[in-house]
């Protein structure tokens, strides 16, 4: 999929949803935040990512140093600020070069890595606003499936720690998107190992398997819907799935 186009589209949809909301409305899936704080978070970190790429940073940049890091007070202008924030990332990548190495929180990656990361930030936070408003949420299966893969990439890149791992060594979690047309991109085999997680697209028997639409799988992985939400089917060892969710906060 084309991550740049999807970033602009998902950011636009997020802005349109926020424009219909009371900025003081609490966001239950982001405890302690209201809609205005969520908008500020997304836009500021979009601008942070653009700054990292633009400066070819090889170390973490302080978020507080980001130029124009606060949205205007009026909601329509704040939504425009959010839209501009996403475009700044694409401009920075175009100027720096998609393959130029830059800092990320999982190590040095090509500058285009930030486009995909910020895309899925908008995808998930759009769900947060929809939950707060009590309105339906929909996202294209291809976008949601890519979000699952991107999330698994982040978890696999996380260094092993002394805390209980998401999957015990030798355990396997099989995620299966039920949307038509995704093919191999809609199935994931995640394995626990001594040094962390590994995953690949594929079909097989897991310690636990979870079936649902790509959107529901993504929202379940991100803890935006319950582990046993109506759209999900859990097969095999249920505690493997619930332990995974409990141990994969990032």
């Amino acid at each position: 999929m084309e991550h740049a186009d999807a970033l602009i589209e998902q950011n636009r949809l997020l802005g349109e949803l926020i424009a219909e909301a009371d900025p003081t409305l609490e966001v239950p899936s982001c405890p302690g935040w209201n809609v205005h704080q969520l908008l500020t978070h997304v836009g500021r970190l979009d601008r942070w990512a653009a700054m990292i790429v633009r400066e070819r940073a090889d170390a973490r940049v302080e978020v507080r140093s980001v130029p124009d890091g606060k949205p205007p007070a009026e909601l329509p202008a704040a939504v425009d600020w959010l839209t501009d924030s996403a475009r700044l990332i694409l401009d920075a990548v175009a100027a720096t070069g998609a393959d130029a190495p830059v800092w990320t929180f999982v190590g040095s990656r090509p500058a285009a890595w930030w486009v995909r990361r910020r895309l899925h930030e908008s995808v998930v936070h759009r769900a947060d606003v929809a939950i707060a408003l009590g309105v339906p949420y929909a996202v294209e299966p291809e976008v949601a499936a890519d979000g699952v893969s991107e999330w698994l990439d982040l978890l696999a890149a996380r260094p092993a720690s002394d805390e209980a791992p998401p999957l015990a060594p030798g355990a396997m979690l099989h995620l299966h998107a039920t949307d038509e047309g995704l093919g191999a991109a809609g199935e994931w085999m995640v394995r626990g190992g001594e040094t962390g997680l590994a995953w690949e697209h594929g079909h097989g028997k897991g310690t636990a398997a979870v079936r649902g639409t790509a959107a529901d799988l993504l929202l379940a992985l991100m803890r935006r819907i319950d582990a046993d939400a109506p759209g999900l089917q859990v097969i095999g060892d249920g505690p493997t799935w619930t332990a995974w969710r409990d141990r994969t906060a990032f």
Side-chain angles (χ1 to χ4, degrees), residues 56-249:
R56 296 175 181 256
D58 58 5
R60 189 181 186 278
V61 172
E62 284 297 325
V63 176
R64 288 177 294 181
S65 68
V66 174
D68 197 21
K70 292 183 179 180
E74 296 296 325
L75 186 58
V79 170
D80 289 343
W81 174 87
L82 177 67
T83 301
D84 290 342
S85 300
R87 295 189 183 279
L88 286 173
I89 300 174
L90 303 187
D91 291 345
V93 170
T96 299
D99 296 327
V102 299
W103 179 89
T104 81
F105 52 81
V106 292
S108 179
R109 295 289 190 274
W113 181 95
W114 280 108
V115 177
R116 190 185 188 203
R117 172 82 291 272
R118 299 311 301 164
L119 156 64
H120 293 301
E121 191 83 351
S122 286
V123 169
V124 174
H125 282 315
R126 183 163 66 84
D128 291 324
V129 179
I131 290 168
L133 290 171
V135 299
Y137 172 79
V139 62
E140 294 84 350
E142 294 80 8
V143 173
D146 189 69
V148 171
S149 297
E150 197 257 355
W151 179 241
L152 294 177
D153 281 344
L154 293 180
L155 294 174
R158 185 165 61 177
S161 70
D162 294 333
E163 298 178 359
L167 288 176
M172 185 176 298
L173 177 65
H174 177 212
L175 304 172
H176 187 157
T178 55
D179 311 86
E180 293 185 5
L182 286 177
E187 293 200 62
W188 303 262
M189 301 296 295
V190 191
R191 297 177 175 81
E194 296 292 341
T195 59
L197 296 171
W199 75 273
E200 61 186 5
H201 287 296
H203 182 84
K205 183 175 177 58
T207 309
V210 186
R211 291 173 53 88
T213 65
D216 281 346
L217 290 176
L218 176 62
L219 296 183
L221 288 171
M222 303 303 296
R223 293 169 298 283
R224 266 55 182 191
I225 61 174
D226 292 338
D228 59 351
L232 300 174
Q233 179 185 15
V234 182
I235 304 166
D237 185 52
T240 294
W241 167 233
T242 54
W244 165 275
R245 294 209 344 149
D246 291 343
R247 298 171 185 174
T248 51

Side-chain angles (χ1 to χ4, degrees), residues 7-23 35 38-39 42-43 46 75-84 86 121-123 125-127 129-130 133:
L7 169 61
I8 296 301
E9 175 67 3
Q10 293 299 317
N11 178 276
R12 180 186 66 80
L13 292 172
L14 173 60
E16 289 180 354
L17 199 57
I18 288 174
E20 300 299 321
D22 177 348
V35 168
L38 183 147
L39 178 153
V42 175
D46 281 350
L75 186 58
V79 170
D80 289 343
W81 174 87
L82 177 67
T83 301
D84 290 342
E121 191 83 351
S122 286
V123 169
H125 282 315
R126 183 163 66 84
V129 179
L133 290 171

